[in-house]
Amino acid sequence: MVLVSCGGSGSSVNSIPSSNPTTTEQTEGSETTISFEVPEVSANWQLIWSDEFEAGTIDSTKWSFERNCAGGGNNEQQCYTNRLDNAFIESGSLVIKALREDFTGPAVFDDSPNYDTNITKTQPYTSARLRTKNLGDWRYGRIEVRAKLPSGQGTWPAIWMLPTEWKYGGWAGSGEIDIMEAVNLKAKSDASGQLTDTAENRVHGTLHYGRKWPENVYSGTSYSMPDNANPADDFHLYAIEWQAGEIRWYVDGAHYATQNANGWYSQFHNEKGEIIDGTGTAPFDQKFHLILNFAVGGDWPATVNEKGIDESAFPQLFEIDYVRVYQCSIDADYGRGCEAIGKDAKLVEGHTAPPL
């Protein structure tokens, strides 16, 4: 997410379509078609963790619920609950449902030392945020999530990862990996150069790193699907391949972005209170866990597109068909040797560490 926070049928990892998707970049009075290659996925990826959501209930050995009305650090307007009203299994999919309803719950994050269910806050929406922390924690691999996204001004679904142990300090010094985020799908797009009345259809892949907030930075890019397809209309496959020193982003197999250690850094306080540089590929060299959540409003969606929250758009559903995590059998320690690299992917520039 931008700040602290931040059922279709399944298919195998090696059955991704081989056609080349295109995205249309619209400029004043003209259109430019950009093609993103769909590289072949390595057969050396080995499935090590998955949830196909075929059981009748959410598997508590794989997922835990966060329960708070803290606003995600972004002035979001939802309370996250563990109620069946907000998260359930239906037709082979995990469904996260955001509702317009006043709700009162804990006022701070679950992991906060000040978490107290007796200290409360009331918000105008409810939703759910599930995580694999201490149930599924990985360093390197291929993570795939097949999902259908919600739409409407104020919607903010996300598939992302946080470190399980904050080795390099508080957020975002220890890093954050955003596999997919989208805001305000089908609202009027405000993308630069878009034609009038184009519907918002972008998804975003982002890294957060640097120092602990507020001295953090982020870098990433967006992707639009071929033929102006909207991620809220159907299921699509969102994935990353993460190896030592490099992370790559994919939609339906199209490799659209890459970031590497030349464009990220970590600086944190050591035991003496001195700010030092993280070494090697820090902070993206530790175990991370997966988060699936559906936020409502907040500093990003409420300030772009049509602004605010369209109350009439709710309820909305974020549907997840499956989650699969793979390990590269060639080099499990560093994740190398299983790369699916498309020649058209954007190399995101990132940031340089400030001098100490």
Side-chain angles (χ1 to χ4, degrees):
M1 313 285 284
V2 172
L3 292 179
V4 189
S5 249
C6 65
S9 60
S11 61
S12 72
V13 68
N14 293 315
S15 62
I16 295 172
S18 59
S19 60
N20 285 356
T22 58
T23 183
T24 300
E25 187 176 79
Q26 296 172 325
T27 57
E28 295 295 335
S30 65
E31 292 184 355
T32 302
T33 300
I34 303 171
S35 177
F36 291 95
E37 184 179 3
V38 177
E40 183 178 357
V41 176
S42 173
N44 292 305
W45 288 114
Q46 294 185 338
L47 186 68
I48 60 171
W49 190 97
S50 69
D51 198 335
E52 306 294 324
F53 303 113
E54 296 295 340
T57 59
I58 296 169
D59 189 342
S60 61
T61 69
K62 296 180 177 179
W63 304 96
S64 63
F65 285 86
E66 296 188 48
R67 295 169 52 233
N68 68 75
C69 300
N74 304 293
N75 298 308
E76 298 158 22
Q77 298 298 297
Q78 79 287 326
C79 285
Y80 289 126
T81 84
N82 62 349
R83 305 179 306 161
L84 285 173
D85 292 337
N86 296 118
F88 50 90
I89 304 293
E90 184 174 86
S91 301
S93 290
L94 167 66
V95 180
I96 299 177
K97 187 174 185 178
L99 298 166
R100 168 64 187 97
E101 59 175 340
D102 293 339
F103 192 87
T104 301
V108 299
F109 291 105
D110 298 57
D111 292 335
S112 169
N114 299 318
Y115 186 76
D116 185 341
T117 57
N118 295 312
I119 301 175
T120 62
K121 181 178 181 179
T122 300
Q123 297 275 33
Y125 293 86
T126 60
S127 186
R129 175 162 150 165
L130 287 74
R131 62 181 178 179
T132 66
K133 185 176 181 180
N134 297 317
L135 301 171
D137 310 87
W138 311 280
R139 184 180 74 158
Y140 311 136
R142 180 180 172 96
I143 295 93
E144 295 184 344
V145 180
R146 187 172 185 268
K148 181 180 179 182
L149 309 184
S151 64
Q153 179 67 34
T155 57
W156 186 0
I159 303 165
W160 53 303
M161 304 182 78
L162 282 177
T164 300
E165 302 293 337
W166 296 80
K167 180 176 179 179
Y168 303 111
W171 189 87
S174 290
E176 174 183 319
I177 304 170
D178 296 334
I179 299 172
M180 188 291 306
E181 293 180 282
V183 297
N184 308 330
L185 291 174
K186 294 193 174 183
K188 184 177 179 180
S189 178
D190 58 2
S192 176
Q194 281 283 21
L195 300 179
T196 304
D197 295 328
T198 300
E200 179 62 70
N201 69 347
R202 290 169 292 176
V203 296
H204 304 260
T206 310
L207 294 180
H208 297 257
Y209 51 91
R211 298 182 181 180
K212 180 180 178 180
W213 182 87
E215 298 178 276
N216 55 292
V217 295
Y218 65 91
S219 53
T221 191
S222 63
Y223 175 82
S224 296
M225 294 179 181
D227 303 319
N228 289 321
N230 199 290
D233 287 334
D234 205 349
F235 286 84
H236 295 275
L237 185 64
Y238 304 98
I240 60 166
E241 289 186 354
W242 170 27
Q243 66 188 61
E246 184 167 298
I247 302 174
R248 298 176 295 276
W249 281 259
Y250 306 82
V251 175
D252 293 333
H255 176 203
Y256 75 91
T258 298
Q259 297 197 53
N260 61 44
N262 292 327
W264 72 59
Y265 68 92
S266 182
Q267 294 183 334
F268 61 100
H269 289 88
N270 64 13
E271 297 83 357
K272 298 178 181 179
E274 305 164 328
I275 295 182
I276 61 172
D277 287 308
T279 59
T281 61
F284 301 108
D285 61 353
Q286 302 296 308
K287 286 187 175 182
F288 279 59
H289 59 272
L290 186 67
I291 302 169
L292 304 173
N293 75 284
F294 181 178
V296 180
D299 296 335
W300 183 11
T303 60
V304 297
N305 300 110
E306 298 172 15
K307 310 292 178 65
I309 302 172
D310 179 8
E311 182 176 322
S312 69
F314 293 84
Q316 283 289 325
L317 307 180
F318 178 18
E319 302 173 68
I320 300 96
D321 181 23
Y322 61 74
V323 178
R324 297 173 184 167
V325 180
Y326 298 82
Q327 184 179 73
C328 183
S329 61
I330 295 175
D331 182 359
D333 289 337
Y334 295 97
R336 300 183 181 123
C338 295
E339 296 86 347
I341 298 177
K343 64 181 183 300
D344 308 303
K346 178 179 180 179
L347 178 62
V348 178
E349 185 174 346
H351 297 271
T352 301
L356 297 178

